[in-house]
Amino acid sequence: MWVVLCFVLGVFFAFSPSGAQADEPIAVSAPEWLMLLRRQYKRPEQIPFPAENPYRHDVATLGKMLFFDPRLSGSQSISCSTCHNPSFGWATPVHPVPNLDNNIRRHAPSIVNAAWVTPLFWDGRVDTLERQAAGPIEDPNEMNSDFDTIIRRLHKVRQYREWFEQSFPGEGITQRTIVFALATYQRTIVSGISPFDLWIDGNHDAISEEAKRGFQLFLGRAGCAECHRSWMFTDNSMHDIGLIGQDRGQGALPGQPPEANYHFKTPGLRNIAIRAPYMHDGSIPDLRGVVRHYANGGSIWINRETDIVPFDISDHEVNEIIAFLNTLTADTMSQPPILPSN
């Protein structure tokens, strides 16, 4: 767990003045340091696709149509993109509010870079996007639909019949082909090049000095990089970060040991500036609150050991970390498709 953190801190010490501490100001823009960091934060050149569902352009295009199509929901009023909105980092900008019609407790997680994410869902209950795709569709508290109904609806649309037959000859519109198309499209949702990427790649002016100091804190005293690592800024693991609530996360899944209680998936931090509110329950409205939560070691209202360690931080250092986090957001957007009519 400490491999990345120790490596990067070692680089910091190597280029620090003699006797400097890990979070004292140093020449964080040194070309030699950036060259070493590139190995840790290098973006992959290809998207991984499973052998049983390899990339095909026509399937990805069909999956995008389905992702934005409200006919996949029981009410035909919402789509996958309702909660995974590209304008908000492929998440949703509202706090989950249970009402008489649903029991939603969790904030919709971003699906950006989902091709590299496993396990999936906040509680890590599935390991593939093909399995994930069916979950929200059939959940009575989310899209509240079923595949028999969806298949009948899509069969009424001539273009869908033609597209499915072209993409899946001899099989056409089935539950399998629907989830395969959705999963293929979701794997193509990759975060764009951000100012941080430009900086790591050698453009020393791509981010501010404040953000560079924030990155140093992120790697050093704040300990963020212990879980938020690699180019996606996640370890793809489950942790208890000390939030209040009755949701036991991974611990509520069948067969889990007691120590899995309150463990939730570490989210990646790409496009984090536009993904508020934060945490699995959407309980923290802004990044300042997130940093303060971690600095406190979790909520003061809980009585359990968590996976985070408190640390001292000043207001201007909070600003520095936020400045760094803002550099992880790219400007690219996704345009919704024009859907076929019945």
Side-chain angles (χ1 to χ4, degrees):
M1 192 173 192
W2 290 86
V3 174
V4 174
L5 182 60
C6 290
F7 169 82
V8 177
L9 288 181
V11 174
F12 269 123
F13 284 123
F15 290 98
S16 298
S18 176
Q21 298 300 312
D23 19 321
E24 290 181 359
I26 60 174
V28 293
S29 60
E32 297 91 346
W33 178 62
L34 286 174
M35 289 176 62
L36 291 171
L37 281 180
R38 286 175 193 163
R39 287 185 292 177
Q40 295 295 332
Y41 293 96
K42 179 179 175 59
R43 295 170 62 96
E45 296 179 356
Q46 293 184 328
I47 300 173
F49 287 86
E52 63 274 14
N53 190 18
Y55 175 77
R56 287 181 292 157
H57 179 73
D58 58 332
V59 174
T61 302
L62 178 56
K64 182 174 182 177
M65 305 291 287
L66 296 171
F67 190 87
F68 286 87
D69 199 326
R71 281 170 286 210
L72 268 63
S73 67
S75 65
Q76 301 190 76
S77 62
I78 61 173
S79 68
C80 302
S81 63
T82 301
C83 292
H84 300 288
N85 190 321
S87 298
F88 300 99
W90 299 93
T92 183
V94 296
H95 185 285
V97 181
N99 56 41
L100 294 177
D101 298 320
N102 70 61
N103 295 304
I104 292 177
R105 300 168 297 169
R106 298 174 183 169
H107 182 242
S110 172
I111 58 170
V112 71
N113 301 323
W116 293 269
V117 175
T118 185
L120 296 150
F121 290 110
W122 282 112
D123 54 16
R125 63 184 180 271
V126 302
D127 56 359
T128 70
L129 281 169
E130 285 75 14
R131 294 182 60 196
Q132 178 275 334
I137 290 174
E138 297 180 314
D139 191 322
N141 296 315
E142 297 187 49
M143 297 178 74
N144 190 29
S145 190
D146 65 85
F147 282 94
D148 288 340
T149 299
I150 293 171
I151 291 167
R152 286 196 301 271
R153 287 175 182 168
L154 297 184
H155 262 294
K156 295 178 181 179
V157 183
R158 177 181 56 81
Q159 292 97 324
Y160 272 134
R161 293 197 305 270
E162 294 174 351
W163 293 336
F164 271 94
E165 186 57 37
Q166 176 183 340
S167 298
F168 301 96
E171 187 172 1
I173 306 174
T174 67
Q175 177 173 341
R176 174 185 174 277
T177 58
I178 291 171
V179 298
F180 268 45
L182 285 168
T184 297
Y185 170 62
Q186 288 183 78
R187 289 188 176 97
T188 70
I189 299 172
V190 181
S191 55
I193 302 297
S194 71
F196 173 82
D197 297 306
L198 298 177
W199 178 60
I200 284 293
D201 202 37
N203 182 348
H204 308 316
D205 299 322
I207 67 175
S208 67
E209 293 302 316
E210 182 183 38
K212 295 171 187 176
R213 293 191 298 271
F215 186 39
Q216 185 178 345
L217 285 163
F218 183 91
L219 298 171
R221 180 173 8 121
C224 311
E226 186 176 347
C227 297
H228 294 286
R229 61 177 68 167
S230 83
W231 75 279
M232 289 196 305
F233 293 89
T234 177
D235 60 359
N236 274 334
S237 296
M238 315 292 291
H239 300 284
D240 179 355
I241 58 170
L243 290 168
I244 303 173
Q246 301 302 311
D247 189 345
R248 293 189 293 122
Q250 184 185 23
L253 300 179
Q256 293 295 322
E259 52 267 28
N261 282 337
Y262 307 108
H263 279 60
F264 295 89
K265 182 71 181 292
T266 302
L269 299 182
R270 291 287 179 168
N271 295 338
I272 193 66
I274 56 175
R275 284 167 43 192
Y278 302 103
M279 307 307 194
H280 73 269
D281 56 0
S283 60
I284 301 183
D286 53 42
L287 288 173
R288 183 171 303 278
V290 172
V291 176
R292 284 296 181 189
H293 174 84
Y294 281 106
N296 292 338
S299 171
I300 63 173
W301 305 109
I302 63 171
N303 182 26
R304 66 176 188 268
E305 185 176 350
T306 70
D307 295 335
I308 56 176
V309 179
F311 55 90
D312 293 326
I313 191 168
S314 65
D315 286 341
H316 81 268
E317 288 173 328
V318 172
N319 292 337
E320 290 170 346
I321 291 181
I322 293 173
F324 159 66
L325 293 174
N326 287 338
T327 71
L328 302 180
T329 296
D331 293 331
T332 54
M333 299 289 290
S334 176
Q335 297 297 322
I338 299 175
L339 299 175
S341 61
N342 288 343

